[in-house]
């Protein structure tokens, strides 16, 4: 059986194929910040807050279950209920520990599920009250003489109260604050118009005439003489591609919020960035000694030829050219680790734009009638991502390459292992890309 380090090494070799075939988004119908952060959506309870509320409910139910088990010993439930409630004695009764759990349940759900507070002071009060009460009860009571439950109930109640505090402070409030920052950035970007380079429209696109300005606000899917009307499914592909482009622009606009992860001897840098509803995204930024047009041709315009210089890509096929800027592709990544990592396949819709200062390919995982899921492959999904090639205004023979990657390989691969391998994966892809452009330019 392979060691964990061997599996990680094989993943690092195989993931470039998996990742390079995707310039894309998740299988949901697009991720647009303006859609996801609508007023209705922001009023709803977040997923992480819902999980917190479930944990608070579990607190009450678990303490209740332990108390019922304790009541069901010796004299029976009815007799013990009378002793612990009607004839309540602070030193011998467990009833007050149940009441304490109900107090946490009621106050926390009122504050964080109904009122939707975004501050820690309420849980600080409940945890302080719970801790103080339990410490005093253990010191003054005679519970420790009542067997296992005399130890179990106070300890469980104490630990759960502090776990609730940790979860709210380090998970709920931090993640919601990050989503709030994303929303404010999206609102600011929307209010100032086009992102990054205002007024920079496309100059004629992928397989489109030079006078085509894809990406402009008044672009019509059916305009222009000789263009066929798009079907409802084709319009959906176009919409998905445009939604993908919006989010890639949003990520680029927030470069100051990217978190540094690793760099290498070539000067390549990998960053991470948390995207609401999609999780951790990896971003590669590399400086290349070649023209932007060369990278544009090799990585963006000709994905089918990537198998010539990236051996971990088993296949790439264009399923449909929807219109000048939009295609649907089918990609297969080879297996690795002696079969531990089985081959993955992806169906992606891609939108390609050529702007005055850059080339962009972005998209999202989608479905297509020609390629339903196959039993011999695990169908993967790609989160927000894309390829961007930035031109250098002062030197046309160099460029900056950016790769935004968020992928879910599905199957049973540990997510932490994939995340550990992704930085090495992106560095390896940049290495192969440098080799490819060096071959094309005739350099040794």
């Amino acid at each position: 059986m392979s060691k964990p380090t061997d599996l990680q090494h094989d993943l690092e070799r195989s993931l470039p194929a998996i990742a390079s075939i995707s310039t894309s988004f998740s299988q949901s119908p697009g991720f647009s910040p303006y859609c996801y952060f609508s007023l209705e959506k922001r009023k709803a309870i977040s997923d992480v807050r819902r999980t917190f509320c479930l944990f608070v409910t579990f607190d009450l139910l678990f303490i209740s279950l332990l108390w019922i088990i304790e009541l069901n010993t010796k004299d029976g439930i009815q007799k013990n209920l009378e002793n612990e409630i009607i004839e309540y004695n602070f030193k011998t009764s467990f009833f007050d520990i149940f009441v304490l759990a109900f107090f946490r349940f009621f106050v926390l759900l009122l504050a964080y599920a109904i009122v939707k507070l975004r501050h820690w002071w309420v849980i600080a009060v409940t945890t302080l009250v719970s801790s103080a009460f339990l410490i005093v009860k253990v010191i003054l009571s005679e519970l420790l003489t009542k067997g296992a439950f005399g130890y179990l109930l106070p300890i469980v109640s104490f630990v759960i109260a502090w776990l609730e505090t940790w979860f709210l402070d380090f998970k709920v409030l931090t993640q919601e604050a990050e989503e709030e920052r994303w929303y404010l950035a999206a609102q600011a970007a929307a209010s100032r118009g086009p992102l990054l380079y205002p007024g920079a429209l496309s100059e004629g696109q992928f397989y489109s005439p030079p006078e085509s300005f894809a990406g402009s606000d008044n672009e019509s899917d059916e305009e222009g003489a000789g263009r066929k009307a798009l079907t409802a499914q084709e319009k959906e592909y176009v919409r998905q591609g445009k939604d993908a482009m919006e989010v890639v622009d949003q990520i680029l606009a927030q470069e100051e919020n990217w978190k540094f992860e690793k760099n290498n001897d070539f000067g390549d840098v990998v960053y991470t960035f948390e995207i609401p509803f999609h999780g951790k995204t990896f971003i590669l930024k590399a400086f290349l000694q070649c023209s932007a047009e060369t990278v544009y041709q090799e990585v963006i315009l000709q994905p089918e030829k990537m198998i010539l210089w990236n051996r971990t890509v088993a296949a790439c096929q264009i399923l449909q050219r929807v219109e000048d800027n939009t295609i649907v592709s089918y990609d297969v990544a080879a297996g690795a680790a002696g079969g531990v990592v089985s081959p993955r396949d992806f169906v992606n819709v891609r939108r390609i734009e050529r702007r005055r200062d850059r080339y962009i390919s972005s998209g999202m995982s989608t479905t297509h009638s020609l390629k339903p899921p196959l039993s011999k492959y695990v169908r993967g999904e790609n989160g927000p991502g894309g390829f961007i090639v930035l031109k250098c205004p002062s030197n046309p023979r160099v460029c900056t390459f950016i790769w935004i990657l968020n992928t879910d390989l599905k199957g049973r691969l540990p997510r932490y292992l994939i995340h550990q391998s992704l930085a090495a994966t992106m560095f390896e892809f940049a290495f192969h890309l440098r080799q490819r452009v060096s071959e094309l330019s005739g350099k040794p």
Side-chain angles (χ1 to χ4, degrees):
M1 186 173 180
S2 300
K3 296 180 180 179
T5 54
D6 297 333
L7 176 59
Q8 180 168 338
H9 176 68
D10 287 330
L11 276 172
E12 291 173 356
R13 296 184 57 193
S14 63
L15 280 171
I18 297 168
S20 64
I21 59 181
S22 71
T23 59
S24 17
F25 272 35
S26 89
Q27 186 128 357
S28 60
F31 173 74
S32 169
Y34 310 106
C35 170
Y36 277 107
F37 285 101
S38 62
L39 181 60
E40 293 76 11
K41 179 68 180 179
R42 296 187 69 236
K43 285 182 177 179
I45 190 169
S46 66
D47 291 339
V48 67
R49 186 177 288 250
R50 186 183 303 112
T51 303
F52 170 77
C53 294
L54 287 174
F55 187 69
V56 171
T57 305
F58 166 79
D59 175 12
L60 175 63
L61 296 179
F62 189 53
I63 296 297
S64 301
L65 178 63
L66 292 178
W67 186 45
I68 291 172
I69 294 174
E70 186 272 335
L71 290 173
N72 201 25
T73 58
K74 295 183 179 179
D75 299 330
I77 292 181
Q78 184 174 356
K79 179 63 176 177
N80 286 328
L81 275 175
E82 292 177 1
N83 292 336
E84 295 201 8
I85 299 178
I86 298 177
E87 301 174 9
Y88 171 77
N89 186 322
F90 176 78
K91 293 185 177 182
T92 60
S93 178
F94 290 101
F95 176 61
D96 46 16
I97 296 181
F98 165 78
V99 172
L100 188 65
F102 183 81
F103 162 74
R104 289 195 300 270
F105 170 80
F106 178 79
V107 173
L108 293 179
L109 288 191
L110 176 65
Y112 296 111
I114 299 176
V115 181
K116 298 186 179 68
L117 289 181
R118 293 197 171 197
H119 200 277
W120 49 261
W121 71 266
V122 174
I123 199 167
V125 170
T126 60
T127 303
L128 178 62
V129 170
S130 298
S131 300
F133 179 86
L134 290 169
I135 291 172
V136 171
K137 187 171 183 67
V138 169
I139 294 174
L140 300 181
S141 71
E142 301 173 359
L143 294 181
L144 301 184
T145 64
K146 301 187 67 173
F149 284 99
Y151 296 87
L152 186 61
L153 272 170
I155 292 174
V156 169
S157 183
F158 185 87
V159 170
I160 291 180
W162 280 97
L163 284 176
E164 290 168 347
T165 303
W166 172 84
F167 191 83
L168 181 82
D169 196 29
F170 288 90
K171 295 294 183 180
V172 179
L173 299 182
T174 54
Q175 183 170 321
E176 289 184 345
E178 182 66 28
E179 292 177 3
E180 181 71 15
R181 285 193 293 270
W182 178 276
Y183 170 75
L184 294 176
Q187 291 294 94
S191 65
R192 67 173 178 260
L195 293 167
L196 298 177
Y197 291 88
L201 300 176
S202 308
E203 301 173 336
Q205 306 281 342
F206 180 51
Y207 296 109
S208 66
E211 63 271 25
S212 171
F213 287 89
S216 58
D217 294 335
N218 59 358
E219 179 183 359
S220 171
D221 295 329
E222 301 178 20
E223 69 177 356
R227 293 191 184 183
K228 67 173 184 178
L230 299 179
T231 65
Q233 180 60 64
E234 289 172 336
K235 289 181 179 179
E236 177 65 13
Y237 288 143
V238 173
R239 185 195 66 79
Q240 290 173 339
K242 289 180 178 179
D243 287 347
M245 192 63 68
E246 283 185 6
V247 178
V248 168
D249 280 338
Q250 288 287 339
I251 295 173
L252 293 173
Q254 298 190 66
E255 183 172 356
E256 67 276 7
N257 295 323
W258 298 355
K259 179 183 176 183
F260 172 84
E261 290 290 331
K262 294 182 180 179
N263 58 5
N264 63 10
D265 295 337
F266 293 96
D268 306 333
V269 183
V270 169
Y271 304 90
T272 56
F273 184 63
E274 290 288 338
I275 298 181
F277 308 102
H278 291 282
K280 181 176 287 189
T281 296
F282 289 78
I283 305 169
L284 168 72
K285 192 171 184 180
F287 182 76
L288 301 177
Q289 297 284 347
C290 66
S291 66
E293 287 72 20
T294 300
V295 181
Y296 173 57
Q297 289 288 334
E298 290 299 313
V299 178
I300 296 178
L301 283 190
Q302 304 179 101
E304 311 98 311
K305 294 185 178 181
M306 197 177 294
I307 59 174
L308 298 176
W309 52 274
N310 191 344
R311 289 176 296 178
T312 55
V313 177
C316 181
Q317 175 187 358
I318 304 301
L319 299 179
Q320 183 179 354
R321 300 191 187 280
V322 180
E323 43 95 68
D324 291 339
N325 308 94
T326 309
I327 63 172
V328 180
S329 67
Y330 174 72
D331 311 281
V332 179
V340 175
V341 182
S342 61
R344 260 63 174 170
D345 67 344
F346 301 81
V347 176
N348 301 313
V349 58
R350 306 185 185 195
R351 180 173 182 84
I352 299 173
E353 293 187 5
R354 190 176 73 203
R355 301 178 183 173
R356 292 192 180 98
D357 63 327
R358 69 193 58 198
Y359 303 107
I360 303 183
S361 171
S362 61
M364 61 187 299
S365 292
T366 189
T367 57
H368 198 281
S369 59
L370 295 180
K371 289 295 179 181
L374 303 174
S375 58
K376 63 179 179 178
Y377 295 128
V378 176
R379 177 62 54 89
E381 291 185 18
N382 293 306
F387 291 131
I388 303 94
V389 187
L390 302 176
K391 302 176 184 179
C392 178
S394 59
N395 186 354
R397 291 177 294 180
V398 298
C399 65
T400 300
F401 176 73
I402 298 175
W403 176 18
I404 301 171
L405 172 66
N406 181 304
T407 188
D408 183 356
L409 301 183
K410 300 298 184 178
R412 298 180 180 178
L413 294 175
R415 183 171 294 274
Y416 79 91
L417 184 59
I418 296 175
H419 284 176
Q420 288 178 358
S421 303
L422 282 180
T425 294
M426 303 182 94
F427 288 145
E428 185 176 352
F429 180 82
F431 174 78
H432 288 308
L433 180 57
R434 281 193 175 89
Q435 284 189 322
R436 177 61 175 173
V437 298
S438 179
E439 292 171 2
L440 294 175
S441 61
K443 295 180 181 179

